Amino acid sequence: QVQLVESGGGLVQPGGSLRLSCASSGFSLNHYAIGWFRQAPGKEREGVACLRTSHENSAYYEDSAKGRFTVSRDNAENTVYLQMNSLKPEDTAVYYCALSTLLHFKLCASDDYDHWGQGTQVTVSA
């Protein structure tokens, strides 16, 4: 059974940084596409940063995340990270990591990810 556990969320001032972690049990993350998604109150869930398998090693970033967020994978630790810099109030949301076991999927399309963590709250506020 796949279990994804996020950590690292919290309250940070605008301009600050946070690093989110997503640890997996039950699946080896390097074999699957994995991504970070977020959902703010009253808004739809959106893909923020997503990785294909380690073999393909390509990443997708949502436009507002480009240049500020970095997604990375530590295969030895079976953990995926989201480094978030220059945080803005509009980054406030619950952040989820998710994994896709589908053979065909669209990178960072939330409907194509079939295993989800419980989420971690990120609040950017002065």
Side-chain angles (χ1 to χ4, degrees):
Q1 182 177 353
V2 176
Q3 188 173 16
L4 300 172
V5 180
E6 302 99 333
S7 60
L11 173 64
V12 64
Q13 292 187 341
S17 298
L18 282 175
R19 189 177 79 156
L20 305 183
S21 301
C22 173
S24 170
S25 60
F27 270 83
S28 179
L29 292 181
N30 62 317
H31 295 309
Y32 298 95
I34 190 157
W36 288 95
F37 300 78
R38 66 185 178 189
Q39 187 165 21
K43 294 188 177 181
E44 291 189 357
R45 186 168 54 193
E46 63 176 352
V48 176
C50 296
L51 285 172
R52 292 191 181 276
T53 64
S54 290
H55 176 69
E56 297 173 280
N57 201 31
S58 62
Y60 162 91
Y61 292 95
E62 188 267 335
D63 284 346
S64 70
K66 291 178 182 176
R68 299 189 300 127
F69 293 4
T70 303
V71 59
S72 61
R73 186 198 322 247
D74 185 330
N75 292 332
E77 296 293 328
N78 211 26
T79 300
V80 173
Y81 301 98
L82 183 66
Q83 178 67 44
M84 304 186 294
N85 300 326
S86 303
L87 283 162
K88 305 174 182 180
E90 50 265 42
D91 294 318
T92 296
V94 178
Y95 284 70
Y96 300 89
C97 69
L99 178 150
S100 177
T101 63
L102 303 183
L103 185 61
H104 301 288
F105 64 95
K106 181 178 180 181
L107 193 63
C108 242
S110 60
D111 287 348
D112 288 350
Y113 287 72
D114 50 351
H115 294 87
W116 291 80
Q118 82 288 352
T120 185
Q121 176 70 46
V122 171
T123 302
V124 185
S125 175

